[in-house]
Amino acid sequence: MKPSIKLKKLQETVIQCRKCPRLVAYLQEVSQRKPRRYQDWDYWSNPLPSFGDPNARVLIIGLAPAANGGNRTGRMFTGDRSGEWLFNALYQFGFANQPNSLRRDDDFKLDNCYITATIRCAPPKNKPLPKEIENCRPYFLEELDLLKKVEVIVLLGQIAFTQTLKSLRLKGYDVPPLSFGHGKSYLLSRKLPTPVWNGLKPFHTELQTISLITTYHPSQQNTQTGKLTRPMFHRVFKMIKKKLEVES
Ligand code: SF4
C-alpha cells in the first residue's frame, strides 16, 4: 500500500480514537457550552487528523487543537488565532495556497508541508497529561515512518520540542541534550538499518539526517504580549527555506 494511502487510513483511525477518557469527555463538554459567536457551529469535537502534502519536505508540529478553533472546525489550526499567524506565514513563504483558513471546506491546501500535533484532542487549559501524550505518540511515530521525504521539522513551542525529541530517540536518532529557544536549529542523524543482500552487508552504513528548527508557539499568549513578533516568526520561515535550498 502506498504511504499516502496508509497516511489517510491512519487519520481515519485517529478520528475514531477514544484512548483518553478525560479528553473525550472534555470535547463533548466544549461542544455543549459554545461561546455565543460560535452558536451556529456544529463542533467537530473528535480527535483531529493531521493534514497536508504527503510528499512534504517540511513537517510542522504543534501542541494540541484549540477547543474553539481546530476542535470546532475539524482541521488543525483552522479558525483559530494561532492558525492566522501560521497560515499567513506559510502562504507568504510559498507553502500554502491561501493566507488563512477559517473552515474545513475552504479549499485551503498545503504544498511541500505537513502539519501534525503532539496530541490530537483539545485538552482542558491547553495542558495535556503525560499519559495522554503517551497515548497519542504511536500516531506520530507512524506519521514519521510514512512521511518519507521530510527533511526539516519545525517545532512550535517547548512541549512539541520535548516530545518530538523523545519520539525521534525512539526512532533511533542520536539526540544529545538540546535546549529550546526561538529560532534554534539542530541537525540529528540516525543509522539506517543495514540492508542485507545475498547474505552480504555493505561496507558503509547509511546515515539519515533531519533538521530541527524551533519557534515560540504562535499562541495569542505569545503574539499579544510581543514575545513572538511577525519578523521573529518570519525569520524562522527564512531558515526553513534556506535549509531546503541547501538540501536540494
Ligand atoms: S489525544 Fe490522541 S490518543 Fe488521546 S483520545 Fe485523542 S487521538 Fe486518541
Side-chain angles (χ1 to χ4, degrees):
M1 200 190 292
K2 279 165 75 176
S4 58
I5 296 172
K6 283 191 189 168
L7 204 51
K8 216 168 154 229
K9 286 200 169 295
L10 173 65
Q11 300 317 325
E12 286 164 11
T13 306
V14 164
I15 294 168
Q16 304 298 325
C17 179
R18 299 291 181 267
K19 281 196 262 179
C20 307
R22 184 184 79 119
L23 300 183
V24 172
Y26 181 64
L27 299 191
Q28 291 317 309
E29 194 189 315
V30 170
S31 67
Q32 279 155 22
R33 50 167 182 81
K34 308 174 203 174
R36 195 176 300 162
R37 65 188 185 284
Y38 298 136
Q39 281 302 317
D40 294 340
W41 277 81
D42 192 7
Y43 272 45
W44 174 264
S45 281
N46 278 300
L48 282 188
S50 52
F51 76 104
D53 178 353
N55 293 313
R57 294 171 68 199
V58 178
L59 175 62
I60 296 181
I61 307 172
L63 166 59
N68 290 295
N71 177 56
R72 167 175 54 92
T73 61
R75 192 164 59 201
M76 287 184 187
F77 290 103
T78 290
D80 66 46
R81 289 292 166 85
S82 306
E84 280 175 23
W85 273 60
L86 179 61
F87 293 154
N88 183 278
L90 287 169
Y91 175 71
Q92 289 205 30
F93 286 85
F95 294 105
N97 66 340
Q98 294 175 24
N100 199 7
S101 170
L102 298 177
R103 317 183 69 94
R104 249 175 128 238
D105 57 2
D106 61 4
D107 290 329
F108 178 83
K109 282 205 175 52
L110 293 171
D111 181 28
N112 207 12
C113 176
Y114 196 90
I115 295 179
T116 189
T118 308
I119 67 161
R120 289 130 213 273
C121 293
K125 296 186 181 148
N126 269 333
K127 288 201 174 94
L129 300 176
K131 170 87 174 100
E132 292 160 354
I133 292 176
E134 291 314 320
N135 284 349
C136 223
R137 191 182 305 282
Y139 300 132
F140 176 63
L141 294 175
E142 202 172 333
E143 281 169 351
L144 278 177
D145 288 339
L146 295 172
L147 293 163
K148 296 195 177 293
K149 301 207 172 149
V150 168
E151 294 160 36
V152 180
I153 296 184
V154 184
L155 301 157
L156 306 182
Q158 169 96 54
I159 295 178
F161 174 76
T162 310
Q163 296 306 327
T164 302
L165 292 186
K166 191 170 176 186
S167 293
L168 290 172
R169 269 190 203 105
L170 290 171
K171 283 285 164 200
Y173 282 88
D174 188 11
V175 184
L178 301 175
S179 62
F180 178 74
H182 182 77
K184 295 198 174 200
S185 170
Y186 299 109
L187 198 64
L188 298 181
S189 60
R190 69 173 171 180
K191 287 180 189 145
L192 286 178
T194 313
V196 178
W197 183 77
N198 261 0
L200 297 170
K201 282 190 180 183
F203 291 115
H204 303 291
T205 308
E206 217 183 313
L207 273 185
Q208 184 181 25
T209 57
I210 204 153
S211 294
L212 302 186
I213 294 181
T214 61
T215 163
Y216 293 144
H217 194 287
S219 63
Q220 269 186 292
Q221 206 184 351
N222 288 337
T223 55
Q224 285 188 343
T225 55
K227 183 173 179 182
L228 180 66
T229 62
R230 296 266 183 195
M232 283 168 75
F233 200 43
H234 287 186
R235 213 176 311 131
V236 163
F237 282 82
K238 284 180 192 151
M239 290 169 72
I240 300 169
K241 289 296 257 191
K242 211 166 169 187
K243 281 273 176 210
L244 293 181
E245 279 164 25
V246 172
E247 311 274 323
S248 50

